[in-house]
Amino acid sequence: MLIRVTEEPLSADEAARAVASPAAGAINVFLGVVRNTNLGRAVSHLVYDAYPSMAEKEMRAIAEEAKARFGLEGCAILHRTGRLEIGETSLVVAVSCGHRRESYEAGLWVVNEVKKRVPVWKKEVWEDGEEWIEGPESLGMQQAPASMRP
């Protein structure tokens, strides 16, 4: 299990290697990246802040729950903090298990649980202001189809 909150760039390859297993027929890797718009506003960059030890403790709990719930072989959750530019990776979730369906279901579940439970805060910065984003905006609920919502 690989769990980390860091200011350093995140590696999808490292996460995939961490969850690899001879028993896994599927490895699913999710990358959350900084986009240039949100809710109709042009985003300049994001700033993430966290309480790392508390965040990592909750990330580990999520990974353990996912392993039990979906029969995972492995789970990795990496979250970036600090200033992130457009296109940079803020979150990496990797899961491995016997079959593809469970890997997709588990990956989605882990991402949603991270957004709900982990004490990481996101500030959006635009040309004309900035705001700490909370609630449904942080989960992207306005844009996610109903079938994908937690």
Side-chain angles (χ1 to χ4, degrees):
M1 186 177 317
L2 176 63
I3 304 294
R4 184 182 311 137
V5 173
T6 180
E7 290 189 4
E8 300 299 317
L10 304 179
S11 169
D13 288 341
E14 177 188 21
R17 283 192 305 273
V19 301
S21 164
I27 295 177
N28 194 328
V29 179
F30 169 85
L31 303 179
V33 298
V34 179
R35 63 182 181 273
N36 64 359
T37 61
N38 187 37
L39 301 175
R41 295 183 285 211
V43 174
S44 166
H45 64 277
L46 300 179
V47 178
Y48 283 93
D49 196 6
Y51 181 38
S53 62
M54 183 185 257
E56 289 176 352
K57 181 179 178 182
E58 192 61 27
M59 289 160 65
R60 186 169 306 284
I62 291 167
E64 292 292 347
E65 288 174 41
K67 287 179 77 172
R69 183 177 187 148
F70 297 97
L72 299 182
E73 296 295 324
C75 184
I77 307 171
L78 309 173
H79 208 302
R80 181 101 181 264
T81 57
R83 180 183 170 130
L84 280 77
E85 302 299 329
I86 305 303
E88 287 191 276
T89 302
S90 60
L91 175 65
V92 176
V93 170
V95 297
S96 64
C97 58
H99 303 282
R100 69 182 174 273
R101 181 182 181 118
E102 290 82 3
S103 76
Y104 280 106
E105 291 171 354
L108 177 61
W109 184 87
V110 170
V111 169
N112 286 337
E113 292 301 305
V114 166
K115 296 293 184 183
K116 283 193 279 188
R117 296 168 41 184
V118 176
V120 174
W121 303 277
K122 176 173 77 171
K123 179 169 59 173
E124 285 188 354
V125 180
W126 323 288
E127 280 186 17
D128 59 348
E130 61 188 37
E131 181 179 349
W132 288 97
I133 303 297
E134 297 182 37
E137 292 84 12
S138 70
L139 285 171
M141 298 301 263
Q142 291 82 3
Q143 298 154 353
S147 64
M148 298 295 279
R149 295 180 191 158

